[in-house]
Amino acid sequence: AAVQTGLRPRAVFLVREMDFPLDQVRKLCLAHPRILKMSLDNNLRPKLIFFFILTLHMQPQEVLKLLLKYPQILDYNLENHIRPMTRFFLSLDLSAHEIARMLLKYPKLTTNALPKIKRVVGYLRYQLGLEAADVRRMLYQSPQVVGLTTTNLQGKVEYLESVCPSIRKLIVGAPTVLHLSLDNNLRPKIDFLKQYLGDEELSAVLESLPPLLGYSLQNRIKPRVEAIVAANVPVTAVTVAMPLAQAKFEGWLSRKAEKLARLAEENAKQIGVDDRPPKVELSQQEEMGDSNGSRIKHWTRERR
């Protein structure tokens, strides 16, 4: 593009109209040089101003953040792809603000075709039986879920349901677990936890703390479970221990172990008291005896 007719007008638009810092505009142009060839009136203004700012109510700095994350979003057709996808999300009662947050979390949301997005939503809503509010929550918290194929999604759901029958509560509480690899992530974590927890305990733990499977096995789950076991604390306490920062976890574990040890000691003392032989009440005569502790002799007076 010529400097005066191509590069300059677009740079002026981005700096003055969009209020982007010049150094960030340079970074954006280096990441996606095609932006310097895009039409101002047919592409940049309709998308950046009329759609992102006026329709989704995004701030200019949020639009810049989105473009720096995924500048290729400008390559997608606004009227034939981006707007129809937005209308579908609005039909699910997601607000414009929520859709904007979804794009900021997952800028590649626009790489998914609308029919594919509808198939994933249909599976969650009708085949899995989630409430509409639960589907909205999943899409808002983890928009990446629409990038999964229904086959991939169904395989993970069936496996997790075999471990935790309350699968709906699990995936609604932590939809990001659906992004994890079944063989390289979910199975190793479940197999490790099964070494310490029975089936019912594991199900209850996952239901109580759905994000548990999102933690690193080697860096978080394994060392903390092993520390809990070494401290003679019930493994079900992972629901409390796992979200804590390391320093708080160490303090919590120390207090927990001390409390359990104290209770065990008190119980042992109580058992010792209860196991003592019953006290025998002696009569006044039986309590008498010589000072040397000689045995009392009983006699009967001869009657005449």
Side-chain angles (χ1 to χ4, degrees), residues 138 145 148 152-153 156-157 160 171 174-180:
M138 288 185 67
V145 73
L148 301 173
N152 181 292
L153 190 59
K156 293 174 183 177
V157 167
L160 290 172
I171 64 173
T176 53
V177 301
L178 295 174
H179 312 159
L180 305 176

Side-chain angles (χ1 to χ4, degrees), residues 28 187 232:
L28 179 60
R187 287 187 194 276
N232 292 320

Side-chain angles (χ1 to χ4, degrees), residues 70-90:
Y70 188 61
Q72 292 82 1
I73 196 171
L74 294 172
D75 296 335
Y76 291 89
N77 188 282
L78 178 62
E79 299 301 328
N80 297 331
H81 180 64
I82 298 177
R83 284 194 186 278
M85 182 185 68
T86 303
R87 285 194 292 268
F88 174 69
F89 287 133
L90 289 171

Side-chain angles (χ1 to χ4, degrees), residues 137 141 160 164 166-178 180 185-186 189-190 193 202-217 220-221 224 238-244:
R137 178 176 176 173
Q141 289 189 338
L160 290 172
C164 179
S166 301
I167 182 64
R168 291 162 185 80
K169 189 171 184 179
L170 172 60
I171 64 173
V172 171
T176 53
V177 301
L178 295 174
L180 305 176
N185 198 308
L186 292 175
K189 291 175 181 176
I190 294 295
L193 291 170
L202 178 56
S203 176
V205 163
L206 291 176
E207 186 176 340
S208 177
L209 184 66
L212 174 61
L213 295 176
Y215 292 102
S216 167
L217 176 59
R220 190 83 160 205
I221 297 176
R224 293 205 173 180
V238 294
T239 55
V240 177
M242 206 57 63
L244 299 176

Side-chain angles (χ1 to χ4, degrees), residues 154-268:
Q154 188 171 1
K156 293 174 183 177
V157 167
E158 289 176 354
Y159 171 72
L160 290 172
E161 191 170 20
S162 70
V163 177
C164 179
S166 301
I167 182 64
R168 291 162 185 80
K169 189 171 184 179
L170 172 60
I171 64 173
V172 171
T176 53
V177 301
L178 295 174
H179 312 159
L180 305 176
S181 168
L182 181 56
D183 294 326
N184 299 325
N185 198 308
L186 292 175
R187 287 187 194 276
K189 291 175 181 176
I190 294 295
D191 290 343
F192 173 78
L193 291 170
K194 280 184 175 181
Q195 297 177 33
Y196 300 93
L197 295 166
D199 292 341
E200 291 186 4
E201 287 180 325
L202 178 56
S203 176
V205 163
L206 291 176
E207 186 176 340
S208 177
L209 184 66
L212 174 61
L213 295 176
Y215 292 102
S216 167
L217 176 59
Q218 297 301 326
N219 298 329
R220 190 83 160 205
I221 297 176
K222 187 175 181 179
R224 293 205 173 180
V225 168
E226 291 175 347
I228 288 172
V229 172
N232 292 320
V233 174
V235 182
T236 51
V238 294
T239 55
V240 177
M242 206 57 63
L244 299 176
Q246 185 61 29
K248 290 186 177 181
F249 166 72
E250 292 172 358
W252 168 85
L253 186 61
S254 177
R255 292 190 300 272
K256 189 76 172 176
E258 289 175 3
K259 181 178 179 181
L260 291 174
R262 188 166 57 252
L263 289 174
E265 184 179 352
E266 291 174 357
N267 289 336

